[in-house]
Amino acid sequence: MSDVTTTAVRRKLSPRKKAWVAQGVQYAILVAVVILAVININGQQVVNTFLRADLIESMLGWGLAHAFLNTIVYTVGAFIFGLLLGTVLAMMKLSSVGPYRWISNTYTEFFRGIPALIVLMCFSLIGVALPGFEFPSVTLGEFQLVSVKMSTVWMALGMVSAAYMSETIRAGIQAVPKGQMEAARALGMPSGMAMFRIVLPQAFRIVIPPLTNELILLTKDSSLIYMMGLAAGEYELTKFGRDLANSHANITPLFVAGLLYLIITLPLSALVRWMERRSDAGKK
Amino acid sequence: MTETFTLPNGLVMPRTEFTTSAGEKLLVPSGDREEEVQIYDLHKSFGTLEVLKGITTKVNRGEVVCVIGPSGSGKSTLLRCVNLLEQPTSGRIFILNREITDPDEDIDEIRTMMGMVFQQFNLFPHLTALQNCTIGLIRVKKMDREQARAIAQENLEKVGLGDRGGSFPAQLSGGQQQRVAIARALSMDPEMILFDEPTSALDPELVGDVLSVMRDLAEGGMTMMVVTHEMAFAREVANRVIFMDGGVIVEEGPPDSVIGDPQHPRTREFLARVLDPTHHHEGPSAAAPEPQPHSNPNRRKRSRLF
């Protein structure tokens, strides 16, 4: 009886040996694909399509830095607007007044459920569709600090991201132990003060990593502005890259624009990972 | 009986007639400044569960009252009603002869005169030990920072943590956190301090430090209402012990009589179980433990907030 089982096991590969074989096969496939690619791809053609030096040079001359800066301005403005609105919405969700909760929840469901592009299109048309209405702008002497385009974009993207952020912030507030509010009230703090001095600071500490993720998403969503009618000085990375790519029938400008998005988003995601590691360590 | 009394601020207040659920007519409050806490016919229900079934008692200035009793007997709920962290269902509570059960009364102001120490410490984790003690002074009492810091430092020294003011709660042991919580309550210069099972969440070897701080406070004349399972502490420090079971006060009096020579069979049975936990006692409440809305089922296990 025992002899039979022994031979049966010997004939098959042991699980560990099977794993070694599988790993070997995977490496073999990878090496084969790389060799085939190197043989078949024309390096010069790749460079000419994706990274043409003269085009990169002309991009720099045509205001690439300005477009990069505009992307940051559009994103940060929308983020701040969204954060303020999202905080108000989060407090409404936790309100004891029923209608506030309904309004806030409806808002969230609505703006999470429709494409950001449609919101942006609506906002960019409001000025035309609603005669006499104009988004605010701020001018300091000769210098226009906030253009109508900027405030339009900030509100449109901000309203969409507020829907996401309100849920994140609400969860953060609820993650603060109930005893914190009780201890604050027991010291004689009114409920508003206890909320702003004790609960919210802890809630924001909890939600900083997810809010940074929201900032990354917003950076990429700012590319949707490309469909608005923009003056040259208002171009952001995507619009800038697309215009140049179309006029030269070459992918280089879009490729470079994409790389510049990475310059913003990669450090941010590294920051999120660092913060999450740090807060994990704090728990131990 | 007088129909009016005078508050320390000179305000003359009327005394009103109050009919208890048992039909007894009382004139409340007493108006006696020595009677800091007055509780009349307090009832509290959570949904259909009646946790407090008519509590009437008083705490005098400088008195240390320990409330003991089995889990779910309503002792924590009683304490939380005294500073209105729980809203009583009926009954009337007066703190310093001001009615906290009256919606017109400013509860935030009364709470500044009444410290609270929690089972789970509830220190503010984003603030240092010193800031935990100053925030109430600065934000609620509008004191300037320097003065607040001096008071906080003085109280941290009183609890033996004068050198830990810069530490965050997460960097302190449970016993140290609870002592900071006591310093936080003391910093508000309260008339009285409520303790809700202050040592129940602590490792056994850390209990002693907290109890000795509380003993010092009691000797200093602080009015204290302490919900506790520490029978030795209650017997040594308390002026009066209240034994609660099933939402009512079963027995109350000096510790030597309630703990030393209990008259009621329920008190005897409870004390027998607490003082000799390995021995198995048969009894009505042992067979059917009451549901417990607040108390932590793992009370005796180590638990930490942070």
Side-chain angles (χ1 to χ4, degrees):
Chain A
M1 191 65 190
S2 71
D3 279 352
V4 176
T5 25
T6 315
T7 43
V9 168
R10 285 271 160 81
R11 247 174 230 162
K12 276 200 241 159
L13 276 173
S14 76
R16 235 186 316 170
K17 285 201 174 146
K18 245 191 238 168
W20 290 343
V21 172
Q23 206 176 22
V25 171
Q26 289 174 51
Y27 273 111
I29 292 172
L30 184 65
V31 169
V33 168
V34 170
I35 290 172
L36 278 175
V38 168
I39 293 171
N40 286 305
I41 289 173
N42 180 337
Q44 194 53 47
Q45 202 176 16
V46 170
V47 171
N48 278 341
T49 315
F50 290 98
L51 279 171
R52 237 171 72 187
D54 61 317
L55 270 179
I56 295 175
E57 217 167 294
S58 86
M59 283 176 86
L60 290 171
W62 273 86
L64 179 67
H66 199 83
F68 180 71
L69 196 70
N70 273 345
T71 287
I72 291 177
V73 168
Y74 288 134
T75 307
V76 170
F79 183 76
I80 292 170
F81 183 79
L83 188 62
L84 293 177
L85 184 59
T87 307
V88 173
L89 287 167
M91 309 271 272
M92 285 170 71
K93 279 172 204 280
L94 297 169
S95 166
S96 53
V97 182
Y100 281 164
R101 294 197 301 271
W102 307 330
I103 292 169
S104 180
N105 287 333
T106 310
Y107 179 98
T108 302
E109 291 305 327
F110 183 79
F111 280 99
R112 278 202 308 199
I114 62 172
L117 189 56
I118 287 187
V119 178
L120 205 57
M121 284 172 172
C122 291
F123 270 72
S124 60
L125 266 179
I126 282 180
V128 187
L130 211 84
F133 178 86
E134 200 177 51
F135 281 99
S137 60
V138 179
T139 311
L140 260 180
E142 291 281 287
F143 183 66
Q144 195 179 41
L145 205 63
V146 179
S147 66
V148 172
K149 259 324 153 1
M150 275 186 214
S151 60
T152 310
V153 169
W154 289 351
M155 281 194 198
L157 290 180
M159 281 179 78
V160 174
S161 68
Y164 292 91
M165 286 197 240
S166 67
E167 278 297 304
T168 308
I169 296 168
R170 177 196 55 75
I173 292 173
Q174 286 182 324
V176 176
K178 206 168 122 252
Q180 292 292 313
M181 180 54 108
E182 288 180 353
R185 296 305 306 273
L187 280 176
M189 289 192 190
S191 62
M193 185 194 281
M195 185 52 118
F196 279 100
R197 295 282 168 197
I198 303 298
V199 177
L200 279 186
Q202 295 181 52
F204 271 99
R205 211 162 280 208
I206 295 169
V207 299
I208 281 175
L211 283 186
T212 312
N213 275 326
E214 187 58 38
L215 183 59
I216 293 171
L217 293 177
L218 203 53
T219 307
K220 295 184 291 173
D221 275 357
S222 73
S223 66
L224 296 173
I225 305 165
Y226 84 94
M227 45 62 56
M228 292 174 82
L230 296 172
E234 297 165 344
Y235 276 25
E236 44 68 62
L237 281 173
T238 304
K239 176 81 169 168
F240 180 81
R242 185 169 180 257
D243 273 18
L244 274 177
N246 282 348
S247 57
H248 290 89
N250 188 286
I251 293 172
T252 305
L254 281 173
F255 189 76
V256 170
L259 288 181
L260 284 178
Y261 278 105
L262 285 177
I263 288 179
I264 304 173
T265 56
L266 286 184
L268 283 178
S269 34
L271 182 69
V272 172
R273 276 198 305 277
W274 177 76
M275 286 188 295
E276 280 172 349
R277 253 205 325 274
R278 202 183 55 157
S279 77
D280 282 350
K283 269 178 211 146
K284 278 166 198 163
Chain B
M1 272 191 171
T2 51
E3 298 301 315
T4 60
F5 67 97
T6 317
L7 283 176
N9 60 13
L11 222 61
V12 177
M13 303 287 286
R15 301 177 72 203
T16 54
E17 193 167 274
F18 170 54
T19 313
T20 68
S21 52
E24 195 186 349
K25 283 194 189 333
L26 299 170
L27 207 55
V28 294
S30 68
D32 184 346
R33 287 191 196 173
E34 291 304 304
E35 294 179 344
E36 293 199 328
V37 180
Q38 300 169 38
I39 303 167
Y40 299 104
D41 196 33
L42 171 64
H43 288 255
K44 172 67 186 174
S45 302
F46 293 99
T48 56
L49 181 69
E50 196 178 16
V51 179
L52 297 178
K53 302 170 181 169
I55 302 282
T56 300
T57 192
K58 288 172 184 172
V59 178
N60 293 318
R61 187 180 303 276
E63 196 181 20
V64 178
V65 174
C66 283
V67 185
I68 61 172
S71 300
S73 59
K75 51 196 193 310
S76 278
T77 307
L78 169 65
L79 199 74
R80 291 164 59 85
C81 282
V82 169
N83 75 349
L84 223 61
L85 285 181
E86 297 294 349
Q87 186 68 44
T89 310
S90 71
R92 298 174 73 172
I93 301 174
F94 297 83
I95 304 296
L96 306 166
N97 287 299
R98 289 169 63 179
E99 178 166 18
I100 61 164
T101 37
D102 176 0
D104 288 333
E105 188 53 85
D106 181 1
I107 182 63
D108 291 329
E109 193 204 328
I110 296 176
R111 278 175 177 151
T112 62
M113 300 183 246
M114 189 166 38
M116 175 108 181
V117 174
F118 298 86
Q119 182 179 357
Q120 298 292 349
F121 330 136
N122 293 350
L123 289 184
F124 308 131
H126 61 303
L127 303 178
T128 63
L130 192 79
Q131 288 169 330
N132 265 278
C133 298
T134 56
I135 191 163
L137 293 174
I138 295 170
R139 299 294 167 198
V140 180
K141 291 199 164 178
K142 313 290 179 202
M143 192 179 279
D144 73 80
R145 280 163 194 279
E146 278 313 308
Q147 201 184 347
R149 219 168 283 161
I151 292 174
Q153 183 61 34
E154 188 186 313
N155 285 307
L156 283 176
E157 272 157 25
K158 220 179 264 181
V159 300
L161 292 170
D163 56 335
R164 302 307 300 269
S167 305
F168 284 93
Q171 299 164 327
L172 300 171
S173 74
Q176 290 172 328
Q177 288 188 49
Q178 193 61 300
R179 284 186 281 153
V180 172
I182 293 172
R184 173 172 72 179
L186 280 176
S187 294
M188 297 297 280
D189 191 22
E191 296 282 333
M192 74 197 78
I193 302 185
L194 313 175
F195 293 84
D196 187 6
E197 303 198 23
T199 58
S200 296
L202 296 176
D203 289 344
E205 77 271 22
L206 302 176
V207 170
D209 288 343
V210 172
L211 289 183
S212 79
V213 167
M214 289 169 64
R215 193 175 293 121
D216 291 347
L217 280 183
E219 280 164 11
M222 176 64 75
T223 312
M224 293 162 66
M225 203 170 165
V226 187
V227 171
T228 187
H229 289 283
E230 302 289 339
M231 292 306 142
F233 174 82
R235 186 146 193 196
E236 182 200 342
V237 179
N239 302 104
R240 184 154 53 96
V241 173
I242 295 177
F243 172 69
M244 282 180 70
D245 193 13
V248 295
I249 294 177
V250 175
E251 193 168 345
E252 78 176 287
D256 282 338
S257 71
V258 177
I259 298 176
D261 180 26
Q263 299 304 306
H264 200 283
R266 278 201 281 180
T267 318
R268 275 191 215 141
E269 192 220 335
F270 169 73
L271 287 169
R273 265 189 294 146
V274 171
L275 299 175
D276 183 13
T278 50
H279 194 275
H280 186 70
H281 296 268
E282 287 295 334
S285 24
E290 299 226 354
Q292 16 181 307
H294 280 301
S295 48
N296 175 2
N298 301 322
R299 182 195 309 287
R300 280 293 167 187
K301 286 189 194 153
R302 187 176 124 128
S303 53
R304 288 264 167 84
L305 245 187
F306 312 109

